[in-house]
Every structure is written in structure tokens, then in C-alpha cells.
Amino acid sequence: MIKNNSMNLKKNIEIHFDGRELLCFGNRPNDFLAIFKNVVKKYPDRIALCFKKKIITYKQLDELSENFAGGLLESGLKEKNILVINLVNSIEFVVALFASFKIGLIAMPVGHRHKKEELISLYNDAGVHAVIFDKDTEKEQPFSNYKSPITFISTFDKTNINCLKFNELLRRGSKQKIVLKNIHEEEPAILLYTSGTTGRPKGAVLTHLGLVHSFLHFQMELKLQDGECTILAVPASHVTGLVAQILTLIGCAGKIVIMEHFEVQEFVILAKKHGLTYSILVPAMYALLLHRNALTATDLKSWRVGAFGGAPMPDAVRNELASKLPFLSLNNAYGATETTSPTTIIPIDCNDPGDSVGFVVPCGKVKIVDENDHEVRQGEAGELWIKGPMVVPGYWKNEQASESSFESGYWKSGDIASKDENGFIRIHDRKKDMINRGGYKIFSAEIENLLMLMDEVQEAALVPYPCPILGERSHAFIFSSSNAIDPNKIRRELLGKVADYKVPDKITITQLPLPRNVNGKITKAPLRDVAQKSI
């Protein structure tokens, strides 16, 4: 547990990575494993994880991760090998993560809704050595058609696949004494693939330096206390679930109540039972809680901090939450995989203007530039560039993407933003062609490319349309000269290749070519208008 006292965290300019001058907390922990071991030593019997009827203390989590680390070593894995964690939210997810830290593996969480073709692409790009999977993800694993040897590990015993078993590795590893390695804070700790889908996939390299600073930023700006309680309802494989909840709560010696999937009534039951104090959800989840009339102040008095990100919070949702739960502080947090979570946060007790994403975190630095990379004047909009110890050093084995996305230590976010005279950052637009469906990012190019591979499709474009619950849904426009093309067939084909949330909510087939600009490129503005009018 790191005491929440900003006076103990003096800031210094340090040189890291490729010569970047970064403002860092001076007397910080070296790595996240050091934070975890300190919590285990101080609070061994405190509850760390709750999942259904199972409770895991910090001492037990330490022992489980130690045993699993030993089992991984015995199975042949070595330092800097990549362990894919392709699991739904679970105790095993957290065990695998900390086992990786203990023996110097690079943990690679992957969303449980990915299809086989997506997994093959990610595994090939990363060069993975081992994959831990569960019942939800077993059917999509490339057991037989993956080009390089991979050690597959099942979290359940009754599987027809010839692979290692999680429980067996725990037993074998318990006989080994793990010697914890000395961790260099700039070493890769986690490899997280971004939602980008044009060209080669991009793996963001998260370091211990970034993980430690992100935790401290959350703790400081949200005034998180010793022994907080959160409900992990967003995917653990996403930077929000991974850093803002799992690692941040462990840093606070807190309790993580795990949900496999978000469900309104179960969330409220767990919140009341465990005394929820801190949450970070996408706005669509808050909207669903209100839509189902699930929130009553008398049941949720302990809930102090309601952070959110991934999409704007509609004013109607914000106002209704304030009415139902007047003691709940709503705090926007903006960030990305490349920034190891927060870049800006609305701090606790801040006079929030409502339309901003807050102030830049204490060790962060931003600049807003025009199309010529010159800084704009205060209040003007431009592309947001981000710098700090929490920003990743680059992309995994992708020098071209790293060179084009980073400059002078800044990561080019691609988001259009402005900064006012009080320091509030506002995001005006998102990355080109990205659709935000309840916090899940969909890049239209990926779906458009898959559609264009279908015989009957001659042109395709994917655009968003507003949804009061999810924020946005997707609408595909397809030009085909064939009368036989079937939208349901298109959906079935896509479902076999991508996660279900990426499949268009609406599909319009037209026998007229899609609109194009003077340069011959499909222009989406008229299609967005049609999509919105068809609601």
C-alpha cells in the first residue's frame, strides 16, 4: 500500500527509453511486483479477490501466483517469453498476471470475444510462447493451424485438447522455490494490442515505469484510500480493467469483486453485499443501471467514486446519477492503451464543467498541434500529443508504427482536443473512423475490408449512429449489383471472423455506388446522415 500523500511523491526530471526527458515521481516503487509484495507483507489476510463464492486473500494470491510461476518455468517458459492470457474476468487472470511479473514473462491479455482468425493474427505478430485459455475461449484457439509451437494451458480439467492444465501447473510449481528476479522498470511488463486494424496490428509495450505511475495518478487524483472495494465489470484484458481496477486496487490493498460479464442486477447485488466504494465503467453501463431502475441511495451509501471513460457521459445520465446517488463523485478519465490508462482525470472535489476530460495527470505533459505540428493557441483545437512516464516506449516489433506515432517523446493520439485557460482538456473528435459501441472500439476499416472480401460486395462503408444506451451503434452501407445478397448471411460470415460487438447493428444494401469525393474516396458524411435519420 502506497500512502496517498502527494507530499511524499516529489517529482524529478529523468531520462528514460530513447532519451526522453520525463517528469517522474522521485521516490516511487521500482515496479508493480514490489507494490504487490509490500501489500502481501502488510495485509496477508485481507481479501484481495472475490469471485462467486470463492474468496482469495493477499497471502493466497501470492502463493497461487508463485506456484503458477513455478509451473510455467517447469513447462519450459523462460524470461521475456510471452504468455497470452485469453480469459474472461476471473481469479486465474490475476494469478497469471502476477505469475508473469514474478518470473519476467511478458503478459499479453487478449479479449475473450476474439475469433480464431483474430487470435492467429495477434499470436503471429507478437510471437507468443504460451496461451492460457478457458471454456469461453477454447473453441477459438488455433491449436492445430498455428505455424509456431505454443504451449497451451487450460484453466479447466475436462478438456478434449491435449494441453497443460492450470491446476496441475499449480501442483508442480508448489514444489519449486521461485527466486524473484530484479526487475528493470523500463522492461516490458505487459503487451496490449490496440484496436487499430489498418495494416499490421500494433502491440503497445507497457512497462513497470508506466504501470507504477498510472496507479499513483489514479490514487492521487481520485483520493483512493487504503482498502477500497471495486467491482471488475469491464474486461480485465482492456487497459481500464487491467490498470485502473486490478492493479490500482491491489496497490490500495483493496478488494476486487470479479464479474465475468456486466449484468445490471448482479452488479447492484454485489455492490450492496461487498460495500462498493470505487468503480470505473463506461457511460453505457451507468446508463443501463439507470434504465433498469437499479440504483437506490439507501443500498449504495458506500459508493464514493464513480469514474468513467471510453466515451462522453450524456448530461441526462450525469444528472440522473446525481439525483439518485448524490454522494457519488463522477470523474471522467481520458487515456489510451498507449498511455497505460489515464492522461487526464477530473480530480475529486473539482468544479467539473461537465464537457471536459479533466486536467493532465501530475507527471503528464501534453501539447496540441495543428496540421503542421505547430502548437496552437489556448482554446484552439488540434491534435493532442501526450508525454510522460506512463506513455509506452513504442510498439512491439513495429519500428515503422513507432516512428510515425512518436515524436520527441510525445505520442500522437490522433484525437482532436483543446485546452482552456483553466487547464481543462476537451476532446472534440475521436480517431478517424472509430466507432465507440458501449466502450468497445470498432475501427471501420477492419469491417469494411472483411466485407469487401465477400463475392457480392463491391463497396462497403461503416458509420456510427447514436444510441441512448451504448452511445453509438454501427451501420454498414453496401453497394452490390446482386439482388441475392442477404444481410443475415453477411452477419453470419462476420461472426465467424470477428468479435460479436464488431458486427454491424444495421446493414443497408444498395444497388447504387456509395458517394465519393472529388478524389474518388468514399465520403461518409452523407451516409452518417442517412444512418441517423433511419433510427
Side-chain angles (χ1 to χ4, degrees):
M1 169 65 186
I2 307 299
K3 290 184 178 180
N4 186 4
N5 185 346
S6 58
M7 297 300 292
N8 292 333
L9 293 169
K10 296 179 181 178
K11 297 189 282 282
N12 305 313
I13 296 291
E14 300 178 9
I15 307 298
H16 288 282
F17 307 125
D18 51 359
R20 299 179 191 179
E21 289 189 358
L22 304 176
L23 184 64
C24 301
F25 290 122
N27 54 335
R28 63 186 179 272
N30 178 71
D31 53 79
F32 216 91
L33 185 58
I35 293 174
F36 175 64
K37 296 299 287 186
N38 182 51
V39 171
V40 171
K41 182 179 180 180
K42 195 169 183 180
Y43 302 107
D45 299 321
R46 182 175 284 185
I47 295 172
L49 308 174
C50 297
F51 181 60
K52 297 179 179 177
K53 294 183 179 180
K54 196 166 186 178
I55 290 175
I56 302 293
T57 66
Y58 275 95
K59 180 180 179 181
Q60 289 171 326
L61 179 56
D62 187 35
E63 292 170 349
L64 285 168
S65 57
E66 194 108 336
N67 292 343
F68 189 56
L72 292 172
L73 288 177
E74 193 177 275
S75 72
L77 293 187
K78 298 179 177 62
E79 184 179 339
K80 296 184 180 178
N81 283 176
I82 296 174
L83 171 65
V84 169
I85 307 175
N86 190 205
L87 306 173
V88 297
N89 294 356
S90 60
I91 290 170
E92 289 86 353
F93 186 104
V94 184
V95 170
L97 178 66
F98 279 92
S100 299
F101 290 169
K102 288 184 174 182
I103 54 177
L105 301 179
I106 301 172
M108 180 176 152
V110 173
H112 69 277
R113 297 166 77 175
H114 281 71
K115 300 296 184 180
K116 185 176 293 186
E117 288 190 16
E118 295 173 297
L119 294 179
I120 290 172
S121 175
L122 294 177
Y123 295 0
N124 279 331
D125 190 76
V128 307
H129 301 86
V131 176
I132 179 169
F133 65 92
D134 56 24
K135 289 181 180 179
D136 282 57
T137 59
E138 178 187 28
K139 64 182 182 298
E140 300 297 342
Q141 296 304 322
F143 296 114
S144 58
N145 55 354
Y146 186 72
K147 67 180 183 181
S148 301
I150 289 180
T151 299
F152 285 96
I153 305 161
S154 168
T155 59
F156 58 103
D157 293 333
K158 293 182 180 180
T159 174
N160 295 323
I161 306 301
N162 184 19
C163 64
L164 299 176
K165 307 295 192 298
F166 179 82
N167 288 331
E168 178 60 26
L169 288 182
L170 287 179
R171 287 191 289 271
R172 285 157 55 180
S174 65
K175 301 173 184 177
Q176 290 205 16
K177 178 65 177 176
I178 299 296
V179 178
L180 300 182
K181 68 180 295 290
N182 293 321
I183 296 174
H184 191 288
E185 63 182 353
E186 292 184 10
E187 289 180 358
I190 297 170
L191 182 59
L192 272 188
Y193 274 79
T194 67
S195 300
T197 54
T198 54
R200 187 179 177 187
K202 294 185 293 186
V205 180
L206 278 61
T207 66
H208 281 279
L209 178 70
L211 297 176
V212 169
H213 277 85
S214 287
F215 154 59
L216 294 173
H217 283 150
F218 272 124
Q219 185 191 43
M220 182 180 298
E221 297 303 283
L222 298 179
K223 295 186 179 179
L224 299 180
Q225 303 168 9
D226 176 26
E228 297 280 2
C229 174
T230 195
I231 298 176
L232 179 65
V234 299
S237 57
H238 188 276
V239 70
T240 301
L242 184 66
V243 177
Q245 289 197 280
I246 293 175
L247 296 184
T248 294
L249 262 288
I250 284 175
C252 292
K255 177 168 62 174
I256 304 168
V257 182
I258 299 172
M259 294 181 70
E260 281 185 333
H261 313 286
F262 177 73
E263 197 282 318
V264 168
Q265 294 303 327
E266 182 186 358
F267 181 92
V268 174
I269 290 169
L270 292 173
K272 182 179 179 181
K273 176 181 178 181
H274 293 280
L276 172 67
T277 62
Y278 160 71
S279 65
I280 183 160
L281 305 168
V282 296
M285 291 177 173
Y286 288 107
L288 281 169
L289 287 165
L290 292 169
H291 183 68
R292 305 277 174 81
N293 295 315
L295 301 179
T296 57
T298 54
D299 290 341
L300 301 169
K301 289 181 179 178
S302 62
W303 195 1
R304 301 182 345 269
V305 182
F308 64 93
M313 175 79 80
D315 287 341
V317 174
R318 183 191 294 269
N319 293 337
E320 193 173 353
L321 281 170
S323 174
K324 297 259 187 182
L325 304 175
F327 40 78
L328 178 65
S329 175
L330 291 173
N331 302 85
N332 200 347
Y334 162 82
T337 304
E338 287 90 345
T339 64
T340 320
S341 209
T343 295
T344 67
I345 300 178
I346 294 286
I348 294 291
D349 302 328
C350 168
N351 186 16
D352 180 7
D355 62 344
S356 92
V357 293
F359 302 111
V360 179
V361 293
C363 289
K365 185 177 180 181
V366 303
K367 63 180 178 179
I368 298 170
V369 303
D370 61 20
E371 60 273 12
N372 297 313
D373 297 343
H374 299 142
E375 287 196 63
V376 301
R377 290 179 295 183
Q378 186 180 90
E380 291 185 351
E383 184 183 8
L384 184 67
W385 288 15
I386 304 164
K387 186 177 182 179
M390 69 288 180
V391 174
V392 301
Y395 295 112
W396 182 255
K397 298 191 298 186
N398 196 334
E399 291 184 11
Q400 183 178 356
S402 296
E403 288 176 5
S404 64
S405 300
F406 294 84
E407 185 170 316
S408 303
Y410 286 89
W411 174 62
K412 304 174 184 180
S413 75
D415 289 340
I416 305 303
S418 64
K419 183 178 180 179
D420 70 15
E421 67 278 7
N422 296 315
F424 285 106
I425 302 293
R426 288 173 175 82
I427 305 297
H428 301 285
D429 203 355
R430 292 190 298 276
K431 295 177 184 178
K432 185 179 180 182
D433 292 338
M434 189 182 75
I435 297 168
N436 193 327
R437 192 184 190 278
Y440 285 97
K441 309 299 191 297
I442 306 169
F443 276 76
S444 61
E446 178 185 29
I447 307 305
E448 289 163 356
N449 290 337
L450 289 173
L451 290 170
M452 290 298 292
L453 292 174
M454 299 179 189
D455 293 337
E456 305 94 337
V457 176
Q458 292 166 264
E459 294 178 352
L462 193 73
V463 299
Y465 66 93
C467 170
I469 299 299
L470 297 177
E472 289 180 342
R473 292 181 183 268
S474 63
H475 190 147
F477 289 86
I478 294 170
F479 164 48
S480 173
S481 57
S482 170
N483 291 321
I485 189 168
D486 180 9
N488 290 325
K489 179 185 175 185
I490 291 172
R491 288 192 176 91
R492 287 194 297 270
E493 285 196 36
L494 288 176
L495 272 172
K497 296 178 180 179
V498 297
D500 54 1
Y501 64 84
K502 296 182 183 180
V503 177
D505 295 282
K506 292 184 179 181
I507 297 177
T508 295
I509 311 292
T510 175
Q511 290 185 296
L512 295 174
L514 301 184
R516 293 180 179 271
N517 62 19
V518 292
N519 295 320
K521 293 184 179 180
I522 292 175
T523 177
K524 292 187 174 180
L527 300 178
R528 291 191 185 97
D529 291 339
V530 173
Q532 291 188 27
K533 290 175 183 176
S534 66
I535 299 173

